[in-house]
Amino acid sequence: MTTINNSNNIADFSSQFKAEKKDAAEQAAETTRKELGQEDFFSLLTQELAYQDPFKPVENSDMVAQMASFTTADGISNMDSKFEQLNTIMSSNQALQASSLVGTKVLAPASSAFLSEGEDVSGRIELPQSAPNLRLQIANQVGEVVKVLDMGEQKSGAIAFNWDGTDMNGKKVAEGSYRLKASASIDGNAQDLKISSFQHVESVNIGNTGNGIMLNLKGMGSLPLSEATEVAAKTY
């Protein structure tokens, strides 16, 4: 008598376990199927054709339009995924290239430059048109002019300059940041000009600043990689 009761209990428990397992499987399948796939689309399309009004059948153009819409949506979804992969690859490649700039000098727009001991400061002055008297003033951080480079008459274009780090008396000045100001007489009026200077790249911040890849310049703070216009040879 006891054996029979145990058998019944086991049978009931087994049935209950199978039912719960089935419900769990169905719930899992329902959870994973949150989007319509190709099979779902064609199943719905078949049902639509099967239950259409025989006196008002679906036009071929309507059917083609539905299929085209699904194909377009599916294609866009796949395209987004591919673009995401491409973006990851390009970002990694850009980061690798940026890391190779450490130890070089890059040319970037700046109104100041850092003079390292034993080195010169060089760069470019953007001259929009020919001028008779291009001039570059170099001042320290308190505004005192330490050097004036009279570059004379120049044609329009990117005019290269080089400062050897000496003052008016030919004496070497201290290492540090110096202000640069270029001017010329254009159409009879004195005009300030855009300057770019070469700066040491000490390190690179890769994607953790919210501003993309940043170059950390010696004594000059950070610079977006996109603003560097030229790269010089390695200096150390």
Side-chain angles (χ1 to χ4, degrees), residues 163-178:
W163 174 45
D164 60 5
T166 61
D167 60 14
M168 300 284 196
N169 301 316
K171 183 181 177 180
K172 283 285 186 179
V173 299
E175 179 180 271
S177 180
Y178 289 84

Side-chain angles (χ1 to χ4, degrees), residues 73-85:
D74 190 50
I76 291 174
S77 177
N78 291 332
M79 188 181 298
D80 287 342
S81 176
K82 296 299 181 184
F83 272 125
E84 202 169 311
Q85 295 176 18

Side-chain angles (χ1 to χ4, degrees), residues 151-165:
M151 304 174 67
E153 184 176 356
Q154 297 287 342
K155 294 182 179 180
S156 62
I159 311 302
F161 72 86
N162 188 80
W163 174 45
D164 60 5

Side-chain angles (χ1 to χ4, degrees), residues 11-213:
D12 292 342
F13 176 78
S14 178
S15 299
Q16 182 179 359
F17 176 77
K18 289 180 180 179
E20 290 178 353
K21 185 177 181 181
K22 182 178 179 181
D23 291 341
E26 290 177 351
Q27 290 177 3
E30 184 178 351
T31 302
T32 56
R33 292 173 57 83
K34 293 181 179 179
E35 298 181 357
L36 289 176
Q38 291 185 355
E39 293 183 3
D40 300 306
F41 172 76
F42 285 112
S43 177
L44 289 172
L45 185 61
T46 302
Q47 291 296 320
E48 180 182 1
L49 295 175
Y51 291 100
Q52 66 181 335
D53 187 342
F55 297 102
K56 295 180 180 179
V58 177
E59 296 288 340
N60 291 337
S61 58
D62 293 337
M63 189 185 304
V64 171
Q66 291 183 42
M67 296 182 68
S69 297
F70 179 81
T71 303
T72 301
D74 190 50
I76 291 174
S77 177
N78 291 332
M79 188 181 298
D80 287 342
S81 176
K82 296 299 181 184
F83 272 125
E84 202 169 311
Q85 295 176 18
L86 180 61
N87 183 55
T88 301
I89 294 172
M90 291 181 67
S91 297
S92 300
N93 185 53
Q94 190 179 35
L96 181 63
Q97 291 178 335
S99 65
S100 68
L101 295 177
V102 176
T104 68
K105 282 186 174 182
V106 295
L107 183 68
S111 59
S112 60
F114 188 84
L115 174 67
S116 297
E117 186 175 355
E119 294 190 7
D120 296 352
V121 170
S122 58
R124 306 273 192 274
I125 300 173
E126 296 297 326
L127 189 59
Q129 64 184 64
S130 298
N133 56 345
L134 178 61
R135 171 178 288 190
L136 176 65
Q137 287 186 344
I138 302 162
N140 58 26
Q141 288 302 298
V142 295
E144 298 173 342
V145 176
V146 298
K147 188 80 168 187
V148 176
L149 299 180
D150 286 312
M151 304 174 67
E153 184 176 356
Q154 297 287 342
K155 294 182 179 180
S156 62
I159 311 302
F161 72 86
N162 188 80
W163 174 45
D164 60 5
T166 61
D167 60 14
M168 300 284 196
N169 301 316
K171 183 181 177 180
K172 283 285 186 179
V173 299
E175 179 180 271
S177 180
Y178 289 84
R179 301 175 186 177
L180 307 176
K181 180 180 179 181
S183 61
S185 178
I186 297 177
D187 295 330
N189 298 314
Q191 182 174 325
D192 292 338
L193 306 172
K194 293 181 180 179
I195 304 175
S196 296
S197 62
F198 283 99
Q199 301 295 333
H200 286 287
V201 179
E202 290 191 311
S203 62
V204 176
N205 286 338
I206 302 174
N208 58 354
T209 63
N211 298 316
I213 297 176

